[in-house]
Amino acid sequence: MASWRDEVLLEGDFYLAAKKRTVFKVTLIPGGLFYSAISTVSTQYEEKSIQTSDVIGCQCSETRNISPARPSSSLPAGNAVATFTVFAYPFRKKVFSGKRTRHRQAVTFEISSSTNFEENRKIAQKWRNVINCLARGMHITASDVDTCEPPPWGRFLFLVNPHSGPGRAMQIFKNEVEPMIAEANIPYKLIVTEYAGHARDLVQNLELSEWGAVVIVSGDGLVYEVINGLMQRVDWNSAIKKPVGCIPGGSGNALACAINYAAGEPVDINAVLHSVFILIKHRVVPMDLVLVQTPSQQHYSFLSVTWGIVADIDFESEKYRNLGEARFTLGAIKRIVNLRAYHGRLSFLPVAEYTPKTSAAPKTLKKIRRFSLRSSSSSRNLSSSGSIDSISSRHSQSPVVLTGARSLSTTPPVNGKDRNGSLLCSVSNGSGDANFTISEQSGSDTETNSPAKTFPNHYRSGAGEGGSNGRTVLDAVSDKAPAVLHAVEGTTLNTNESKAYSSSATASTEKTLTNGRVPANSKQTKNVPFISTSKDEAGFEEETVHAAKKDGEAVPTPLLPPLDQPVPDNWVVEEGKFVLACAVYQTHLGSDMLAAPSSRMADGIIHLMFVRDGISRNHLLNLFLTFSEGTHVDSPYVEFVPVLAFRLEPDISSGNIMIDGERLDPVPVQGQVLPGVARVMAIQ
């Protein structure tokens, strides 16, 4: 029996519809449903199970005027049989590839323990209610089974673009999405978009309180329309909290891939099935947006800003959209053969100290920067996880605990997280590498729901993101602590500075300076970044910019100067010829492009990637081949830098700039992160 079999909630003897001559003993516990044959028939049946984590719904039905009791049955004859059917999607391996994928499993149990149909129906309804509550993640005990009922679903608004990608979105909805939604008994309304910008116009005037979620069945273009429509409302601060779901139905399905990847679901096989499963089993989680400014417009981006070969492939392969994602492969081959380089200036505000790959990595981390949006609205978040303010504060202020033989208390670094959202570091203790996992905690409101895991190799020194060789923030700190890394809860010197920004939004800067010594006149502060070593001292400075956001007011942009003014002195400026430059804030740019392996939906970071001119076509081809595994970040040709803001200034008018797959002329653009402002239906 499985180890998670604990408290028995319900038990009963039922027929299994597929085995009509056999009675099965059925047991329901919080972890799943077990059933095994108990008849006297010689056929042997092993105990089978359905995990509640795989269940998307359970429904009742009724069958009257059944024939007398079946042979070998211990149940009475009856003409009033009620049934309940469990719909689940467990994993199994495909025969030839060995890849894990979900498959549909529908198991129907017949209840005829009484000759009174109403009694049988009540039993079936009780089982249905308890199973649906468990499938929705509710905590159910034996004392709850007679009264529990799953909360009603909010109505889903499905937006389908029938012309997206290969033009199969409507077929995907009818054949793959609608049946699963019906099994979960989710009410919905379907709207087919009729023109470019239809979805944007629709959500700008939508009465959002009538809908539980807005779900896009299309490519990334329709997601872009919905996000920008919500952000252009007067009540954008509350409107953008409306959960957005995503089902892949276009040629570019990057957000759907990122959601599947974050949930641990496959991204390259049965993508629609896994996306619908996540949609039904979802949690509402925060997602970063990036505000992108051009000389004449303002955009809200959820995916990327690209320039150079990646943008050229995206735009020029549009003519092959009927090929689906294969259009990008064809476009890449064509563009690599006719390779271009573009001259321009790339400026950015790095999260931590930046050193080019051509230089030695810095030994001391001097500064960690963060940006935090704080809402002053009284509106409540629809998510069960709390308001946007509580989520934002947990991400920006919650203490971080390093679990293991040693412990470190500090405010959370902003990169180097594992797939469950845990922060990562690697410390050398002289006898090999010691792996630790850092989990974000905030009293009883801890958001991490899965057990801690060690991190993959690409997070280690020289393969991650955050220095000249892709190092994480804690890697840089650990360089100063080769022998001992331990916590000291001491005191720090806190100074508040007011800064003038080009935006009308109020912003404050909080700095904490830690240099290994405690100033005599400082105030006591808990959870302070304080690193002590047996050999040397490591110090760094933290800088956090806070900005207020209110309904009816412009989105605050305290990190961005006007486009016609120079960038501040604390920005890094790189000028020359570039083969590509990409600002990415999701893990994927496609099912076979793991562009930013360490990105998280709400990490508050723009992952800036650029390749300078001078790379050969052969090396560039090999670079594209490594995108599917995310190992391109190890390439000596790729600079991968976590930043809070960036500016791109092309020197020539040819080429393309793409924002979430939408083309712009090559004009100066700049962007800054808006941490956790949006809501997406996902599992983390």
Side-chain angles (χ1 to χ4, degrees), residues 237-521:
N237 185 19
S238 54
I240 196 62
K241 297 173 187 175
K242 180 60 60 177
V244 174
C246 188
I247 305 298
S251 54
N253 304 297
L255 181 58
C257 291
I259 292 173
N260 283 15
Y261 184 77
E265 302 283 329
V267 299
D268 58 347
I269 184 171
N270 291 347
V272 173
L273 184 150
H274 297 108
S275 293
V276 180
F277 180 83
I278 293 171
L279 188 75
I280 295 171
K281 302 285 288 187
H282 76 276
R283 287 184 167 187
V284 178
V285 301
M287 181 177 72
D288 296 340
L289 298 180
V290 169
L291 188 151
V292 181
Q293 295 176 343
T294 70
S296 60
Q297 292 179 308
Q298 188 161 278
H299 308 262
Y300 298 94
S301 171
F302 68 92
L303 178 61
S304 65
V305 177
T306 60
W307 178 56
I309 187 171
V310 174
D312 292 345
I313 293 170
D314 195 358
F315 178 70
E316 294 172 4
S317 65
E318 184 72 15
K319 66 183 77 171
Y320 311 122
R321 62 183 303 117
N322 61 319
L323 299 177
E325 284 193 326
R327 70 179 248 207
F328 300 113
T329 302
L330 182 60
I333 295 173
K334 180 179 177 181
R335 186 46 49 214
I336 290 174
V337 172
N338 300 284
L339 187 59
R340 302 170 183 161
Y342 298 97
H343 193 278
R345 184 181 298 106
L346 184 62
S347 309
F348 51 89
L349 177 63
V351 168
E353 183 177 0
Y354 167 72
T355 303
K357 280 194 173 181
T358 54
S359 305
K363 290 298 181 183
T364 302
L365 188 64
K366 295 183 178 179
K367 178 175 288 188
I368 299 176
R369 299 183 179 92
R370 299 184 183 90
F371 177 64
S372 173
L373 278 172
R374 291 181 175 176
S375 174
S376 57
S377 171
S378 60
S379 61
R380 295 177 62 84
N381 178 26
L382 298 177
S383 161
S384 60
S385 59
S387 69
I388 188 172
D389 303 318
S390 64
I391 293 175
S392 177
S393 63
R394 285 200 291 267
H395 276 275
S396 61
Q397 295 179 339
S398 301
V400 173
V401 179
L402 175 61
T403 59
R406 310 168 180 82
S407 109
L408 170 66
S409 292
T410 179
T411 51
V414 288
N415 61 354
K417 293 187 178 183
D418 71 6
R419 289 182 65 176
N420 297 313
S422 298
L423 298 163
L424 307 165
C425 69
S426 178
V427 180
S428 175
N429 57 12
S431 61
D433 286 339
N435 295 333
F436 299 94
T437 301
I438 306 177
S439 301
E440 293 188 11
Q441 299 177 351
S442 178
S444 61
D445 295 329
T446 303
E447 291 192 59
T448 303
N449 298 299
S450 51
K453 298 179 180 179
T454 56
F455 51 92
N457 290 332
H458 65 256
Y459 283 110
R460 295 182 180 275
S461 174
E465 53 167 25
S468 63
N469 56 355
R471 302 158 57 78
T472 65
V473 170
L474 286 180
D475 284 334
V477 176
S478 66
D479 280 344
K480 301 297 290 185
V484 180
L485 175 63
H486 55 107
V488 177
E489 196 169 84
T491 58
T492 58
L493 178 62
N494 295 328
T495 62
N496 293 325
E497 300 179 358
S498 60
K499 294 187 177 182
Y501 294 98
S502 59
S503 170
S504 60
T506 58
S508 64
T509 302
E510 297 177 357
K511 291 190 175 183
T512 301
L513 180 62
T514 304
N515 59 7
R517 293 186 174 87
V518 179
N521 58 350

Side-chain angles (χ1 to χ4, degrees), residues 307-309 312 335 338-344 576-580 611-615 617 620 651-652 654-655:
W307 178 56
I309 187 171
D312 292 345
R335 186 46 49 214
N338 300 284
L339 187 59
R340 302 170 183 161
Y342 298 97
H343 193 278
K577 282 190 173 183
F578 298 89
V579 172
L580 68 86
V611 175
R612 296 180 176 88
D613 188 24
I615 184 172
R617 289 176 175 81
L620 187 60
D651 282 347
I652 56 177
S654 61

Side-chain angles (χ1 to χ4, degrees), residues 117-135:
F117 172 75
E118 286 300 319
E119 291 184 9
N120 293 334
R121 184 173 64 87
K122 289 180 180 179
I123 294 173
Q125 289 176 342
K126 180 191 293 188
W127 280 76
R128 177 200 62 190
N129 289 343
V130 176
I131 292 172
N132 280 332
C133 286
L134 293 173

Side-chain angles (χ1 to χ4, degrees), residues 44-197:
Q44 297 295 318
Y45 298 100
E46 62 181 16
E47 186 177 60
K48 297 183 179 181
S49 64
I50 304 173
Q51 296 188 34
T52 53
S53 59
D54 296 329
V55 176
I56 66 168
C58 179
Q59 295 186 18
C60 290
S61 60
E62 60 185 58
T63 306
R64 297 179 183 270
N65 298 322
I66 300 299
S67 57
R70 299 172 176 85
S72 305
S73 171
S74 62
L75 299 179
N79 59 359
V81 175
T83 67
F84 67 91
T85 303
V86 181
F87 299 100
Y89 286 80
F91 274 111
R92 71 180 178 188
K93 289 186 177 180
K94 293 186 74 68
V95 176
F96 296 106
S97 65
K99 293 183 177 180
R100 295 172 68 246
T101 182
R102 294 190 182 274
H103 70 284
R104 182 178 183 271
Q105 181 182 14
V107 182
T108 300
F109 298 94
E110 296 182 355
I111 303 172
S112 57
S113 54
S114 171
T115 56
N116 187 316
F117 172 75
E118 286 300 319
E119 291 184 9
N120 293 334
R121 184 173 64 87
K122 289 180 180 179
I123 294 173
Q125 289 176 342
K126 180 191 293 188
W127 280 76
R128 177 200 62 190
N129 289 343
V130 176
I131 292 172
N132 280 332
C133 286
L134 293 173
R136 299 276 291 274
M138 297 175 62
H139 179 68
I140 302 296
T141 63
S143 60
D144 303 322
V145 297
D146 291 325
T147 58
C148 70
E149 288 189 11
W153 285 99
R155 198 158 58 129
F156 285 9
L157 176 62
F158 282 93
L159 302 179
V160 178
N161 178 6
H163 305 295
S164 177
R168 295 182 58 250
M170 196 64 203
Q171 180 182 348
I172 288 172
F173 178 81
K174 288 294 185 182
N175 296 343
E176 301 183 63
V177 179
E178 192 173 39
M180 292 182 67
I181 295 298
E183 291 172 352
N185 201 27
I186 299 175
Y188 71 91
K189 179 180 179 179
L190 172 66
I191 295 181
V192 179
T193 58
E194 299 174 357
Y195 55 88

